[in-house]
Amino acid sequence: MCSGRVDLAFVLRAFSNGMDGVFIGGCRLNECNYSTHGNYHALNMVLLCRKIMEHIGLNPERLRIEFMTSGEGILFAEVMSEFGNKVNKLGPLGKAEGIDQNELKSKLAEITKLVPYIKLVKKEKLASRLESPEEYDKLFTKDEIGRLFSEVISYYIDPEKCQACMTCAKRCPAEAIVGGKNLIHVIDQEKCIKCGTCFEVCPPKFRAVTEIAGAPVPPPISEEKRTIVRKSKES
Ligand code: SF4
Ligand code: SF4
């Protein structure tokens, strides 16, 4: 219904499924029927995705967004025909760029896993309304995208501080936190989508969740050592 609903993950999925090009058509900017102006979100998502594509070695011209009304059939046909020809000229995804197919798949999978994190970190820019195409290239820069991936934040529960209140496990949207009553909680880094919820909800009196940027996450505490023996019970 709305181009604003086209998530970054959808575009990455299309490329991951082997599409050589992705086209998104939206209503003209400032002519959205809703106060949300979803077409600006779509534009910003495309600008971000194009920079991400460059970062992993894909030609960003494989992704295009155009704005038009439903009455502009001829324009639509022209744009699609031009884009189709362009994608044909670019050749098969990855192969034309000299990227090994397995490597490309794993890069796209890695980035797809980070989509919630990317959207969180870039939420202000993703919500911006650019006035003119001259501003498009400045919204996201090459260095910024490099930093985005080199400084990815991981979340870690400090076993010395965790009091097994279970708040984080209940709120984690990815079921990535292993724990239970009287058990020190542990984040399954494979499942974690880096949304930061656990960091936000861990009670301030515990502050057991820490952010780790650009450094390895300590290994999880062994299962035998996870039980918390409360002082009252000990006595
Ligand atoms: S950051 Fe925390 S809440 Fe979010 S997915 Fe990872 S473990 Fe779960
Ligand atoms: S919210 Fe904090 S104290 Fe509570 S279980 Fe999670 S990490 Fe431990």
Side-chain angles (χ1 to χ4, degrees), residues 15-227:
F15 285 127
S16 186
N17 285 341
M19 297 300 120
D20 295 325
V22 174
F23 174 85
I24 297 161
C27 300
R28 288 192 178 279
L29 294 171
N30 299 319
E31 289 182 16
C32 179
N33 284 319
Y34 307 101
S35 59
T36 48
H37 289 270
N39 41 8
Y40 275 103
H41 285 266
L43 169 63
N44 298 336
M45 180 278 292
V46 163
L47 297 175
L48 172 62
C49 192
R50 285 168 64 103
K51 289 287 176 201
I52 292 174
M53 291 169 72
E54 270 184 79
H55 179 77
I56 60 172
L58 286 177
N59 192 324
E61 291 189 28
R62 293 182 182 279
L63 175 59
R64 180 162 171 181
I65 186 165
E66 288 294 337
F67 305 101
M68 57 190 77
T69 71
S70 54
E72 290 176 298
I74 293 173
L75 175 65
F76 177 69
E78 281 171 2
V79 167
M80 291 315 293
S81 158
E82 192 193 305
F83 184 59
N85 289 337
K86 162 76 98 193
V87 173
N88 270 339
K89 264 195 203 141
L90 290 175
L93 181 82
K95 262 190 211 157
E97 286 95 342
I99 312 174
D100 174 77
Q101 291 301 298
N102 291 334
E103 191 193 338
L104 179 61
K105 274 241 165 208
S106 81
K107 278 183 179 175
L108 288 168
E110 217 174 285
I111 292 169
T112 303
K113 210 177 138 214
L114 289 175
V115 165
Y117 172 77
I118 296 169
K119 285 177 11 187
L120 189 74
V121 176
K122 297 292 166 201
K123 71 174 177 208
E124 277 172 29
K125 285 196 177 183
L126 285 170
S128 57
R129 290 193 190 171
L130 302 181
E131 296 298 326
S132 66
E134 288 74 51
E135 294 176 83
Y136 290 1
D137 217 36
K138 294 182 202 145
L139 185 64
F140 299 103
T141 65
K142 201 176 162 201
D143 288 352
E144 175 186 0
I145 300 302
R147 278 199 306 279
L148 177 70
F149 293 113
S150 65
E151 295 170 5
V152 170
I153 290 173
S154 297
Y155 294 89
Y156 172 70
I157 295 175
D158 184 341
E160 299 291 324
K161 293 183 179 171
C162 178
Q163 289 302 311
C165 71
M166 303 200 280
T167 309
C168 59
K170 283 182 199 148
R171 298 282 299 275
C172 174
E175 296 185 357
I177 301 180
V178 185
K181 200 176 171 200
N182 290 329
L183 286 177
I184 290 171
H185 286 42
V186 169
I187 295 176
D188 180 338
Q189 299 294 332
E190 283 302 306
K191 285 189 182 171
C192 175
I193 54 167
K194 304 179 193 297
C195 68
T197 303
C198 51
F199 182 75
E200 279 167 28
V201 300
C202 182
K205 61 183 173 189
F206 304 139
R207 288 204 195 286
V209 183
T210 53
E211 288 181 325
I212 299 177
V217 178
I221 183 171
S222 66
E223 286 190 26
E224 307 83 69
K225 292 182 184 165
R226 290 186 195 171
T227 306

